[in-house]
Amino acid sequence: AHLISLYARSQATLSTEMAATSVPFEMRNLTLEENGASIHHFTSQYHHESRAINLLRREPTLVWFTHVGEQLPQSLTMKLTARCDIHRVGIYLHGENNQNPKHLIISIAAASDGDYQVVVDEELEHRAGDHLWSLPALVTGQFAKFEVTDNFGGSGIYFSKMYVFAHEPKGATAAGSA
């Protein structure tokens, strides 16, 4: 219950921050299956309970763990329902442990075989919660790659959720935002 409460507070903070901007848009995490996202590629997964597809779900207790026998870097690429103007990206980690990402690179591309533009290349604090970045300029893309090159000493890495937010007209839907 505490974990779900922490996640709900994170979502409320995001909603408040997004409402304060002057651009009218819907605040939807475009990496969720309900918003048309799919897993395009991942490097490994630990077992069926910690599979990559968990990241498409809204439930914060479902995670993706990479296989403990695979070396870093590890990555996962999300395919969004359509190309969009991305303005914010990030991840959510439900706990603080050795598998937390320490160095994260997030890249965006318009096509799966296109050139990926690095939008985040950061060392992360060793903590649970949201790690969010507002982009200095909109980046148009349909594919978001999240790559971890280092962790805090554990075997493998994990994510609880991934975030991609884009400027969308009010009332746009996953099927109608293309």
Side-chain angles (χ1 to χ4, degrees), residues 1-165:
H2 174 69
L3 177 59
I4 292 172
S5 175
L6 176 65
Y7 184 72
R9 282 196 306 272
S10 295
Q11 296 306 298
T13 300
L14 281 172
S15 295
T16 302
E17 290 174 5
M18 301 305 252
T21 67
S22 60
V23 179
F25 62 91
E26 298 286 346
M27 202 213 58
R28 295 186 304 136
N29 180 5
L30 299 178
T31 67
L32 297 175
E33 187 173 50
E34 67 193 51
N35 293 328
S38 60
I39 303 293
H40 176 69
H41 177 265
F42 61 90
T43 51
S44 72
Q45 60 187 7
Y46 186 56
H47 56 71
H48 67 278
E49 295 301 322
S50 301
R51 57 189 179 252
I53 199 166
N54 288 342
L55 297 172
L56 296 171
R57 311 289 191 260
R58 188 174 291 277
E59 172 59 48
T61 60
L62 297 175
V63 298
W64 167 57
F65 274 100
T66 62
H67 193 280
V68 295
E70 296 293 326
Q71 298 294 314
L72 296 175
Q74 291 286 307
S75 67
L76 184 139
T77 303
M78 289 275 186
K79 180 181 181 187
L80 309 177
T81 189
R83 288 185 188 182
C84 51
D85 293 329
I86 298 166
H87 66 88
R88 182 174 258 192
V89 295
I91 61 171
Y92 172 74
L93 303 171
H94 77 265
E96 183 178 315
N97 60 55
N98 289 343
Q99 288 88 8
N100 280 40
K102 182 176 182 181
H103 183 242
L104 176 67
I105 301 168
I106 303 174
S107 306
I108 306 295
S112 63
D113 60 353
D115 292 327
Y116 279 79
Q117 178 183 347
V118 174
V119 296
V120 171
D121 187 344
E122 295 284 335
E123 296 288 323
L124 304 182
E125 294 177 60
H126 193 201
R127 64 173 177 80
D130 289 318
H131 297 264
L132 295 166
W133 295 269
S134 292
L135 306 183
L138 296 177
V139 177
T140 301
Q142 186 174 5
F143 294 85
K145 180 178 180 180
F146 296 76
E147 180 178 18
V148 176
T149 62
D150 197 10
N151 63 17
F152 287 93
S155 55
I157 56 103
Y158 87 99
F159 289 119
S160 301
K161 293 293 158 254
M162 297 173 162
Y163 298 122
V164 172
F165 297 103

